[in-house]
Amino acid sequence: MLVLLRYLWALPNTLLGLVPVLIVQLQGGHVRRVEGVIEVAGGVVTLLLTALPIKPLAMTLGHVVWAIDEPALVRTREHERVHVRQYERWGPLFLPAYLLASLAMKLRGRDAYRDNPFEREAYNKAG
Ligand SMILES: [Zn+2]
């Protein structure tokens, strides 16, 4: 029951993460479920990630992880799983909270990514 609630609470973000899945599959990209998380790499997901200013290797949206390629999925798996747990705690509030935390860090003259508490937790627990 608790597992179901965690998936439901994170569902709005998970649905956002699922948007490009069909396109990635049609493009011959990578879509697989690993330990209750859908991992997506290649095709339009690679284009989206490389278009972001910080050019992340991977990004988590609820129970979906996007990565630029399959090796990046493996390399970032532990870190991104910490973000999955954060989505399970914060649900629909995660993205606004994450963005506000980044903004607060930037306004204090700190790094909006590395000093974000959500990232610090992920790097502390998983590297
Ligand atoms: Zn991260």
Side-chain angles (χ1 to χ4, degrees):
M1 187 61 185
L2 197 58
V3 172
L4 179 63
L5 288 177
R6 288 200 305 252
Y7 275 80
L8 283 174
W9 184 230
L11 187 61
N13 299 302
T14 301
L15 292 174
L16 190 62
L18 290 174
V19 168
V21 165
L22 183 60
I23 298 168
V24 170
Q25 280 184 320
L26 293 172
Q27 292 175 314
H30 172 99
V31 179
R32 191 163 28 133
R33 190 165 59 84
V34 178
E35 297 161 358
V37 175
I38 297 170
E39 296 185 341
V40 186
V44 70
V45 160
T46 300
L47 285 176
L48 289 169
L49 291 174
T50 55
L52 292 174
I54 63 166
K55 311 235 177 297
L57 293 178
M59 187 171 94
T60 299
L61 289 159
H63 290 90
V64 181
V65 175
W66 294 354
I68 58 165
D69 55 25
E70 290 182 56
L73 281 172
V74 175
R75 210 158 77 220
T76 64
R77 188 168 285 143
E78 265 190 79
H79 178 99
E80 297 306 320
R81 288 306 188 271
V82 175
H83 289 315
V84 169
R85 302 288 92 84
Q86 292 170 342
Y87 276 101
E88 289 177 344
R89 283 199 303 273
W90 287 78
L93 304 175
F94 178 82
L95 287 176
Y98 185 99
L99 294 173
L100 281 173
S102 282
L103 180 64
M105 290 302 117
K106 193 160 181 74
L107 290 175
R108 290 180 187 170
R110 304 189 46 199
D111 189 285
Y113 174 71
R114 280 284 181 170
D115 293 323
N116 182 314
F118 294 103
E119 290 303 335
R120 284 211 318 271
E121 180 189 20
Y123 281 105
N124 286 340
K125 288 184 175 170

